Amino acid sequence: MIKIKDKDIFENKILAISMAFLVLIVNCAAISSAGEVSEGEVKSSSSATIYVPDGYSTIQAAVNAANAGDTIIVRNGVYTENIDVKKPHLTIRSENCSKNCIVQAANSSDNVFEITAYYVNISGFTVTGATRAYPYYCAGIRVDNADHCNISDNFVTNNWDGIYLSSSCNNIFVNNNASNNRYGICLSFSCNNTFLNNSANANSYYGVYLYYSSNNTFSDNNASNNGYGICLGSSNNNTFMNNSANTNKGDGVYLYYSSNNTFSDNNASNNDDGIWIGYFSNNNTFMNNSANMNNDDGVYLYYSSNNTFSNNNASNNEEEGIKLDYSRSNTFSNNNANLNNWH
């Protein structure tokens, strides 16, 4: 039989144990709740940094071993491989910028980097050697059915396509150089992407080419010394601001079957035609652009209607400053078309 004093001690011990057990349950519930993350989130406490070649000898091996939220840092060197990134929420970057970290295609008939997952970041590489055109155009960096990726500070050269987006949206491209390819930057069926301060120069065909792509924004990019500078085919509602498309063999800006696009403060000079708008490209807006010293016309409209031109400069061209063929209901205000050889 328990005495009164011993009974009090016993009951106090039971109470203390019960309280401790209750605290443990609450803490476990809190930890369980904290472990539940939404689709777009990654637990930072579980993220790791992987070094190549320290931890893994190839970038692909590091990607295969990585988990969502990890960062792969690639040290200086030349890496001969084709890399498939199928895991979301990965960052892959060079340690010391693109000139010190070169990724050369092991197979020229495959993309160097192929990204097919959301929230992937690629930064600081020289990417080269994906030169084959068939069965599909190979690219230095291909983003395929992937959204919310960030591609920055890469030098993408000597590929068929430099940077290629297919059916991909809401991605950001900053400070990349896609030069000396067949196509510099190419978008196909892609929307709501942002391109800022990229170079797409000295490409054989197009510097920037949009095909069935909409609501993309290009600002402060350079598309010069290409076959064509900036081309839109069946692409609508895009915005181009403060870009350069100069000294191209073909036209600086070329639109066909493309409507409701806005071009402002761009320079399209020393091309064949500066700005060419044709084949039912309607309801586009051009403001404060320069189309000077081109070998043909400054601005040429062909079978295109209801476009608006204001405060543009189309001067010192070899033929007309502004020319319209089979085009109607276009609006022109406060434009300058002086000193052209054909008036």
Side-chain angles (χ1 to χ4, degrees):
M1 183 175 180
I2 300 174
K3 297 179 180 179
I4 298 292
K5 183 177 180 181
D6 293 339
K7 183 178 179 182
D8 292 341
I9 295 172
F10 179 77
E11 289 176 348
N12 290 338
K13 286 182 178 179
I14 293 297
L15 180 61
I17 292 170
S18 299
M19 292 297 293
F21 185 68
L22 180 60
V23 170
L24 180 61
I25 291 173
V26 171
N27 287 341
C28 288
I31 291 170
S32 176
S33 176
E36 297 175 1
V37 296
S38 66
E39 184 178 352
E41 295 175 334
V42 177
K43 293 187 293 183
S44 60
S45 60
S46 65
S47 299
T49 300
I50 301 169
Y51 283 87
V52 176
D54 309 46
Y56 296 90
S57 60
T58 67
I59 302 170
Q60 185 66 67
V63 169
N64 294 343
N67 296 309
D70 288 353
T71 296
I72 298 169
I73 298 177
V74 184
R75 299 196 191 274
N76 296 355
V78 178
Y79 298 83
T80 303
E81 52 182 311
N82 301 83
I83 301 150
D84 294 326
V85 185
K86 301 177 182 179
K87 296 179 179 180
H89 294 281
L90 289 184
T91 294
I92 307 170
R93 65 176 180 85
S94 69
E95 186 177 41
N96 292 306
C97 81
S98 61
K99 69 178 181 179
N100 296 307
C101 196
I102 300 168
V103 184
Q104 165 77 45
N107 178 5
S108 64
S109 299
D110 194 6
N111 306 297
V112 183
F113 280 98
E114 183 169 355
I115 302 163
T116 55
Y118 287 17
Y119 295 98
V120 172
N121 305 319
I122 305 289
S123 179
F125 296 96
T126 292
V127 183
T128 186
T131 56
R132 186 172 176 177
Y134 302 104
Y136 64 90
Y137 298 145
C138 295
I141 299 174
R142 181 184 177 104
V143 182
D144 200 342
N145 285 286
D147 300 347
H148 303 290
C149 297
N150 192 315
I151 312 298
S152 62
D153 299 302
N154 300 288
F155 178 42
V156 189
T157 187
N158 291 316
N159 304 282
W160 186 269
D161 291 331
I163 295 171
Y164 183 80
L165 278 74
S166 176
S167 302
S168 298
C169 300
N170 298 299
N171 300 286
I172 298 174
F173 294 78
V174 180
N175 295 329
N176 299 286
N177 187 341
S179 299
N180 291 292
N181 307 283
R182 297 297 190 275
Y183 292 75
I185 296 170
C186 183
L187 283 69
S188 176
F189 297 96
S190 295
C191 63
N192 296 308
N193 299 286
T194 299
F195 289 79
L196 175 64
N197 200 38
N198 301 282
S199 295
N201 301 326
N203 297 287
S204 302
Y205 298 157
Y206 297 95
V208 173
Y209 182 44
L210 278 66
Y211 181 71
Y212 282 100
S213 295
S214 61
N215 295 297
N216 299 285
T217 299
F218 286 76
S219 62
D220 298 292
N221 302 285
N222 191 348
S224 299
N225 295 294
N226 305 287
Y228 285 78
I230 297 169
C231 178
L232 279 67
S234 301
S235 295
N236 306 321
N237 298 298
N238 299 285
T239 300
F240 287 79
M241 301 178 295
N242 201 38
N243 302 285
S244 296
N246 301 323
T247 324
N248 297 285
K249 294 179 181 177
D251 301 328
V253 174
Y254 181 87
L255 277 67
Y256 65 97
Y257 301 114
S258 295
S259 299
N260 297 299
N261 299 286
T262 299
F263 287 78
S264 63
D265 298 291
N266 301 285
N267 191 347
S269 299
N270 293 292
N271 305 287
D272 187 16
D273 286 315
I275 299 171
W276 194 95
I277 304 128
Y279 299 113
F280 311 105
S281 294
N282 305 322
N283 299 300
N284 298 288
T285 299
F286 289 82
M287 303 178 296
N288 301 313
N289 301 286
S290 295
N292 302 323
M293 297 182 290
N294 293 286
N295 295 323
D296 203 334
D297 302 312
V299 175
Y300 182 29
L301 278 73
Y302 183 73
Y303 282 105
S304 295
S305 301
N306 296 300
N307 298 285
T308 299
F309 291 80
S310 62
N311 298 303
N312 300 286
N313 191 354
S315 300
N316 292 290
N317 297 286
E318 288 298 318
E319 297 192 9
E320 283 96 346
I322 299 173
K323 179 180 179 180
L324 284 72
D325 278 337
Y326 309 104
S327 299
R328 60 184 178 82
S329 300
N330 297 284
T331 300
F332 294 84
S333 63
N334 298 316
N335 299 285
N336 186 4
N338 297 327
L339 303 174
N340 298 287
N341 286 341
W342 292 8
H343 302 288

